[in-house]
Amino acid sequence: MITLVKDVLIPVGAVAFLIWVQVLLSKGSNPKMGYILPGIISTMSIFWILLVLTLVLPSMSAADRANFQYFDLVKLFFITNFPSLMLLGIHTLVVKGRKP
């Protein structure tokens, strides 16, 4: 059962907050601050991929390793980096819109 607060309002609020922070960082006196959030998200997803490659894959059984698809790992990498691409797009729009 979907609850309104837990399943809808909190995720939407979190995304709206990240977008608001990104716009504030991009509008500041130093526009390079707009690269902070995308950099953090990209770094976390790269560390996550390295964690999977170094800890999870070696500990898998042979049957699980036979069913593992490396393409699924690549898809997950792109899915986890989508928010950083979205935030970089917002930064680009804010910086380009601010210049005369």
Side-chain angles (χ1 to χ4, degrees), residues 18-31:
L18 280 177
I19 291 172
W20 177 70
V21 168
Q22 179 66 34
V23 169
L24 284 180
L25 288 174
S26 297
K27 278 186 165 182
S29 60
N30 185 1

Side-chain angles (χ1 to χ4, degrees), residues 4-16:
L4 182 65
V5 173
K6 184 177 75 173
D7 295 332
V8 177
L9 292 179
I10 292 176
V12 169
V15 169

Side-chain angles (χ1 to χ4, degrees), residues 4 7 9 13 16-18 22 28 30 35-36 44 47 53-54 57 59-60 62 64 71 75 77 89-91 93 97:
L4 182 65
D7 295 332
L9 292 179
F17 177 75
L18 280 177
Q22 179 66 34
N30 185 1
Y35 295 113
I36 289 176
M44 287 173 49
F47 283 146
L53 289 175
T54 57
L57 289 181
S59 65
M60 291 174 86
D64 289 337
F71 185 66
K75 286 192 297 188
F77 181 71
I90 291 170
H91 172 69
L93 289 174

